[in-house]
Amino acid sequence: MAEQGKRSKGRIVNWNDDKGFGFVEPMAGGKQVFVHIKAFHNRQRRPNVGDTVIYRVSTDKGGRTRAIDAVYAGEQVADHQSHKRSEKGKSAPIVIALVFLGLVALSVASGKLPPVILLAYGVFSLLTYLLYYLDKSAARQGRWRTKESSLHLLALAGGWPGALVAQKTLRHKSRKQPFRFIFWLTVLANIGALIWLHSPDGAAVLRDILGNNQGFPFH
């Protein structure tokens, strides 16, 4: 791959976040340049149409022009503090998911919930994470996509901790606002249902569903 040392400045005029690539229009004029998410130093921030970027131009073995070594205008190539903040933000969803599951486990240990509830959260979270992974892979390859309604139903059923981790670690469905709005509604609804299960009425309904002869100590 041939590389050129001169840095150019341009504006992103097209971006496909699911596939992770787009095109930059040089401010000095000329043909649009292909840019992949891997070309950016800061991969925690997702590019948007209109963003100004500074980059170098390279050509691959097929002679196709592409942008490399790209940074957003105003950012330094190596900003240690920014990197630390990005890593911290990336780990936050994992911490939230683990803390929530830990609280559910505590409720199970104290006899307020049956073990099947914790098991359900674990299974649905793993399944949801897997579907996010498969959906992102399908988006990149132009294959059949998982319905957003299916992802929301899994989140509502208890898979939202896995969805939260997937959105950050896979960088999938993390910027689409309509989807995010509905996702957080499913999270609130699920937590609300879990809180209700701690009430006498909720516990009674849960005992009826599971059967009084299951021997669960919850009350």
Side-chain angles (χ1 to χ4, degrees), residues 40-60:
F40 289 87
H41 285 271
N42 181 4
R43 297 184 190 175
Q44 306 305 317
R45 172 180 169 182
R46 304 298 289 182
N48 288 300
V49 172
D51 283 348
T52 300
V53 295
I54 300 171
Y55 59 94
R56 288 192 295 121
V57 176
S58 174
T59 54
D60 59 21

Side-chain angles (χ1 to χ4, degrees), residues 51-101:
D51 283 348
T52 300
V53 295
I54 300 171
Y55 59 94
R56 288 192 295 121
V57 176
S58 174
T59 54
D60 59 21
K61 293 180 180 179
R64 292 166 294 191
T65 303
R66 59 193 303 138
I68 61 169
D69 194 23
V71 294
Y72 300 99
E75 289 187 350
Q76 295 182 4
V77 173
D79 187 335
H80 182 64
Q81 292 301 322
S82 177
H83 177 71
K84 285 177 68 177
R85 287 194 298 268
S86 296
E87 288 301 313
K88 190 182 223 179
K90 184 177 179 179
S91 63
I94 299 176
V95 172
I96 292 173
L98 290 177
V99 168
F100 175 79
L101 293 176

Side-chain angles (χ1 to χ4, degrees), residues 152 176-186:
H152 288 316
K176 193 175 180 181
Q177 290 307 316
F179 181 90
R180 296 281 293 169
F181 177 75
I182 298 175
F183 168 73
W184 284 111
L185 287 181
T186 65

Side-chain angles (χ1 to χ4, degrees), residues 19 79 90 102 107 118 122-123 148 194:
K19 295 185 178 180
D79 187 335
K90 184 177 179 179
S107 288
L118 179 60
V123 171
E148 291 187 349
L194 184 67

Side-chain angles (χ1 to χ4, degrees), residues 202-216:
V205 170
L206 191 55
R207 276 195 297 269
D208 289 339
I209 293 174
L210 296 177
N212 293 326
N213 61 344
Q214 297 300 312
F216 294 125

